[in-house]
Amino acid sequence: MSALESATSQPASEQDAVVLPYRDASLPLETRVDDLVGRMTVAEKAGMLFQTMIAPGPIDEANPHMGIASGDHMIGEQHMSHFNVLGTAPDTRSLAEWTNALQERAAATRLGIPVTLSTDPRNHFTDNLGTAARAGAFSQWPETLGLAAIGSVELVEAFADTARQEYLAVGIRLALHPQVDLATEPRWSRIGATFGEDAELSGELVAGYIRGFQGAELGPRSVSTMTKHFPGGGPQLDGEDPHFTYGREQVYPGDNFDYHLIPFRAAIAAGAAQMMPYYGMPVGTSYEAVGFAFNREIITGLLREELGFDGIVCTDWGLITDTSIMGQDMPGRAWGLEHLDELSRAERILEAGCDQFGGEARPELVIELVEQGRIAEDRLDVSVRRLLREKFQLGLFEQPFVDVDAASAIVGNPAFIAAGEAAQRQAFTVLTNVEQTLPVRSPRPRLYLEGVDPVVAAAYGEVVADPAQADLALLRLETPYEPRPGGFEAMFHAGSLDIPAEQLAHLRGIAAAVPTVLDMHLDRPAILTGIVDQVAALVASFGGSDAAFLDVVFGKAEPLGKLPFDLPRSMAAVEASRSDVPFDTEDPLFRFGHGLRYS
């Protein structure tokens, strides 16, 4: 019998002939939880409270990225069993084999507690690898903003069900998403992963999202979801993100705090298993001005007692320990409590009511808190029970391993790929269409391209190098932003939404020379006032391949998108708007819900 087969079929204890109560699937869930908690040491409980990053590779080797220890060390020495998978393996089979190697190592520990693997979104298009993963072999869909542009709860649920199957195939059992923050501050860098500006639409879509991943209730075929970022991470001061010191303040000039809770209420009603509070500290509210994960009024008072959430609360990544991310020094994000030492930061998080420390691997801090009498062991038990309960519900104790051959067949199979590509096309949103420029009916026109792969475009027309020689110009651009320094910080698109003057002059010159179709990828609400009247057609996209774009342009696919937020008319209007209030920029260029059809 192989080690893997032995680990699957035998209890981890030395009593091979005895099925311990926590290993007995016929017993009630709470009986199993009680039995296992009663067998755990303080060190084993402390390890359970941490979830940090891990990357595919030899499990006995440390990963230099962000100073991550080896999987062998974190599982065997630190008693950790929750890990956020970074990047991907060279191929699906390798990823599945790596998952099994981790689970085999976990099965060999004293209690044999299986690993829960989590991931940031990995079925979309992303420019920020600090908050999402590249799709790789997984099916590729528009961003959640694109799903919101389509506006179909059924499609969102189908997407989530597809991603669930792909995650399950490689052993990922926790989605560090959905993100239901509201896009009420147009400058914020993380709008691209939201469902947009409208709270009611976001609430409807997140319910379908959770159903698709989790099912009617958590079970062996579920992927748990971690809804974020409670109580809504959208209203950032000047749109700056609280990953960084200058973005730590979350503001409510419109006294509109409760509006941002609407999607979270919907998520809880849909059975959300986990929640993640954001980094920010509320300013100008009745709540203490400290980061949400340190804030007992927010976590225990609002989330648990008022909203009735009794699932797992995991902090956002890196609240305690100063570190380096992608070569950039990053302080622990203890906003409002920067003066506290690491031990006191951990204490405040537990006292607030959080169950798990995200992006940290510091069990020794919790052990010291117990040894000093600052945190009771019974307090650890409350969170350990929640975390173990989910592992049991997911069936990880019965089947922690994945079928390597099946993984290769499931991830990115043709049906999943086709569904994602169809959604990409549907999400395109036509904003203007002068004299029905779209769809293009001319057979093989001469095409001038910017931001479009000429190899792909050659199937639709003759590619030329000069706009003056073209029948049509096809331009694909990113929403403007102000570049930031540093390896990590540079990934966050923030600042002005205006097209820079030099680029705007260039675009207007092309549009004057040849009928032009401009597609703007909206990861934030770009200001298009200076170009909207110059182009023959203006299109918005939210994650779509060049082939998808060209199919829409040439009428091989029907664009069905509608704007999931207002598009402001000017930066002055953005700066004058209230960060917590939706649809608050004066006289927007295009309204939420705008989108033209071909017929």
Side-chain angles (χ1 to χ4, degrees), residues 73 91-92 117 132 140 242 245 264 266 292 313 350 355 357 425 432 441 486 501 544:
H73 174 80
D91 55 78
T92 302
L117 292 178
Q140 193 168 29
T245 306
F264 292 96
F292 289 121
V313 177
L350 290 173
D355 298 301
F357 302 87
R425 287 155 174 79
T432 67
R441 303 296 188 189

Tab-separated table of all heavy atoms in Angstrom, residues 73 91-92 117 132 140 242 245 264 266 292 313 350 355 357 425 432 441 486 501 544:
chain	number	residue	atom	x	y	z
A	73	HIS	N	7.723	22.685	6.836
A	73	HIS	CA	7.934	23.374	8.114
A	73	HIS	C	6.623	23.922	8.664
A	73	HIS	O	6.315	23.757	9.864
A	73	HIS	CB	8.943	24.509	7.937
A	73	HIS	CG	9.111	25.360	9.164
A	73	HIS	ND1	9.896	24.970	10.222
A	73	HIS	CD2	8.581	26.573	9.505
A	73	HIS	CE1	9.859	25.905	11.162
A	73	HIS	NE2	9.067	26.882	10.756
A	91	ASP	N	1.728	23.045	-14.964
A	91	ASP	CA	0.574	22.458	-15.628
A	91	ASP	C	-0.384	21.970	-14.552
A	91	ASP	O	-0.038	21.873	-13.366
A	91	ASP	CB	0.978	21.317	-16.557
A	91	ASP	CG	1.778	20.249	-15.827
A	91	ASP	OD1	1.152	19.442	-15.109
A	91	ASP	OD2	3.017	20.242	-15.952
A	92	THR	N	-1.605	21.654	-14.970
A	92	THR	CA	-2.636	21.252	-14.012
A	92	THR	C	-2.246	19.983	-13.261
A	92	THR	O	-2.483	19.858	-12.052
A	92	THR	CB	-3.967	21.040	-14.746
A	92	THR	OG1	-4.312	22.252	-15.421
A	92	THR	CG2	-5.067	20.664	-13.787
A	117	LEU	N	-6.764	24.547	1.134
A	117	LEU	CA	-6.098	25.444	0.194
A	117	LEU	C	-7.082	26.495	-0.304
A	117	LEU	O	-8.228	26.179	-0.651
A	117	LEU	CB	-5.535	24.661	-0.984
A	117	LEU	CG	-4.368	23.721	-0.691
A	117	LEU	CD1	-3.949	22.981	-1.960
A	117	LEU	CD2	-3.179	24.475	-0.097
A	132	ALA	N	-4.996	38.980	-7.366
A	132	ALA	CA	-5.609	37.929	-8.180
A	132	ALA	C	-4.501	37.125	-8.843
A	132	ALA	O	-3.330	37.507	-8.812
A	132	ALA	CB	-6.549	38.524	-9.226
A	140	GLN	N	-11.394	31.223	-18.687
A	140	GLN	CA	-11.193	32.660	-18.501
A	140	GLN	C	-12.474	33.416	-18.837
A	140	GLN	O	-12.958	33.381	-19.962
A	140	GLN	CB	-10.028	33.149	-19.367
A	140	GLN	CG	-9.548	34.540	-19.010
A	140	GLN	CD	-8.226	34.876	-19.671
A	140	GLN	OE1	-7.912	34.380	-20.742
A	140	GLN	NE2	-7.439	35.724	-19.041
A	242	PRO	N	-5.995	51.107	1.220
A	242	PRO	CA	-5.377	50.932	2.537
A	242	PRO	C	-4.359	49.801	2.640
A	242	PRO	O	-3.918	49.489	3.744
A	242	PRO	CB	-6.584	50.682	3.450
A	242	PRO	CG	-7.611	50.073	2.567
A	242	PRO	CD	-7.421	50.737	1.230
A	245	THR	N	0.052	53.055	3.611
A	245	THR	CA	-0.145	53.969	4.728
A	245	THR	C	-0.999	55.165	4.336
A	245	THR	O	-1.890	55.589	5.084
A	245	THR	CB	1.217	54.447	5.259
A	245	THR	OG1	2.023	53.303	5.573
A	245	THR	CG2	1.049	55.312	6.488
A	264	PHE	N	-23.440	42.666	1.788
A	264	PHE	CA	-23.032	41.720	2.827
A	264	PHE	C	-24.246	41.060	3.473
A	264	PHE	O	-24.214	39.868	3.808
A	264	PHE	CB	-22.164	42.428	3.870
A	264	PHE	CG	-20.837	42.862	3.328
A	264	PHE	CD1	-20.654	44.153	2.861
A	264	PHE	CD2	-19.778	41.974	3.249
A	264	PHE	CE1	-19.438	44.559	2.337
A	264	PHE	CE2	-18.553	42.364	2.725
A	264	PHE	CZ	-18.382	43.659	2.264
A	266	ALA	N	-26.945	40.421	1.889
A	266	ALA	CA	-27.367	39.430	0.887
A	266	ALA	C	-26.462	38.207	0.918
A	266	ALA	O	-26.933	37.063	0.772
A	266	ALA	CB	-27.367	40.069	-0.503
A	292	PHE	N	-10.476	47.680	10.564
A	292	PHE	CA	-11.696	46.925	10.819
A	292	PHE	C	-11.444	45.594	11.533
A	292	PHE	O	-12.242	45.154	12.355
A	292	PHE	CB	-12.458	46.692	9.516
A	292	PHE	CG	-13.082	47.943	8.957
A	292	PHE	CD1	-12.749	48.398	7.685
A	292	PHE	CD2	-13.999	48.665	9.694
A	292	PHE	CE1	-13.327	49.548	7.173
A	292	PHE	CE2	-14.585	49.816	9.192
A	292	PHE	CZ	-14.247	50.262	7.925
A	313	VAL	N	-14.308	34.430	10.345
A	313	VAL	CA	-13.807	35.759	9.988
A	313	VAL	C	-12.298	35.692	9.914
A	313	VAL	O	-11.625	35.399	10.916
A	313	VAL	CB	-14.242	36.840	10.993
A	313	VAL	CG1	-13.634	38.193	10.618
A	313	VAL	CG2	-15.766	36.947	11.051
A	350	LEU	N	-7.860	39.093	18.033
A	350	LEU	CA	-8.648	38.035	18.671
A	350	LEU	C	-9.760	38.632	19.527
A	350	LEU	O	-10.890	38.135	19.535
A	350	LEU	CB	-7.748	37.142	19.511
A	350	LEU	CG	-6.787	36.243	18.721
A	350	LEU	CD1	-5.816	35.534	19.667
A	350	LEU	CD2	-7.550	35.230	17.881
A	355	ASP	N	-11.277	35.132	13.645
A	355	ASP	CA	-10.891	33.740	13.874
A	355	ASP	C	-9.511	33.403	13.339
A	355	ASP	O	-8.880	32.462	13.819
A	355	ASP	CB	-11.900	32.804	13.198
A	355	ASP	CG	-13.288	32.969	13.761
A	355	ASP	OD1	-13.467	32.777	14.969
A	355	ASP	OD2	-14.202	33.304	12.985
A	357	PHE	N	-5.760	34.802	11.221
A	357	PHE	CA	-4.856	35.854	10.780
A	357	PHE	C	-4.435	35.555	9.342
A	357	PHE	O	-3.744	34.558	9.090
A	357	PHE	CB	-3.615	35.906	11.671
A	357	PHE	CG	-3.906	36.130	13.135
A	357	PHE	CD1	-4.170	35.061	13.977
A	357	PHE	CD2	-3.911	37.409	13.667
A	357	PHE	CE1	-4.434	35.251	15.323
A	357	PHE	CE2	-4.176	37.619	15.014
A	357	PHE	CZ	-4.442	36.537	15.849
A	425	ARG	N	-17.670	37.960	-24.590
A	425	ARG	CA	-18.304	38.682	-25.690
A	425	ARG	C	-19.565	39.413	-25.230
A	425	ARG	O	-19.801	40.557	-25.603
A	425	ARG	CB	-18.608	37.697	-26.828
A	425	ARG	CG	-17.354	37.269	-27.586
A	425	ARG	CD	-17.487	35.911	-28.266
A	425	ARG	NE	-16.307	35.607	-29.088
A	425	ARG	CZ	-15.142	35.171	-28.606
A	425	ARG	NH1	-15.003	34.981	-27.308
A	425	ARG	NH2	-14.132	34.932	-29.421
A	432	THR	N	-21.223	54.367	-27.620
A	432	THR	CA	-21.674	55.170	-28.763
A	432	THR	C	-21.473	54.352	-30.026
A	432	THR	O	-20.588	53.489	-30.090
A	432	THR	CB	-20.890	56.493	-28.895
A	432	THR	OG1	-19.517	56.214	-29.239
A	432	THR	CG2	-20.942	57.300	-27.599
A	441	ARG	N	-19.673	45.568	-41.472
A	441	ARG	CA	-20.161	44.613	-42.478
A	441	ARG	C	-19.214	44.457	-43.663
A	441	ARG	O	-19.347	43.523	-44.455
A	441	ARG	CB	-21.530	45.070	-42.994
A	441	ARG	CG	-22.587	45.245	-41.917
A	441	ARG	CD	-22.919	43.938	-41.223
A	441	ARG	NE	-24.069	44.068	-40.324
A	441	ARG	CZ	-24.451	43.130	-39.480
A	441	ARG	NH1	-23.785	41.985	-39.416
A	441	ARG	NH2	-25.501	43.330	-38.683
A	486	GLY	N	7.555	51.033	-6.775
A	486	GLY	CA	7.606	49.780	-6.035
A	486	GLY	C	7.023	48.612	-6.803
A	486	GLY	O	6.111	48.764	-7.605
A	501	ALA	N	-2.960	64.322	-21.730
A	501	ALA	CA	-3.126	65.227	-22.869
A	501	ALA	C	-2.415	64.714	-24.115
A	501	ALA	O	-2.964	64.772	-25.227
A	501	ALA	CB	-2.619	66.624	-22.495
A	544	GLY	N	-11.707	40.863	-21.790
A	544	GLY	CA	-12.080	40.144	-23.001
A	544	GLY	C	-10.883	40.042	-23.922
A	544	GLY	O	-10.095	40.983	-24.046
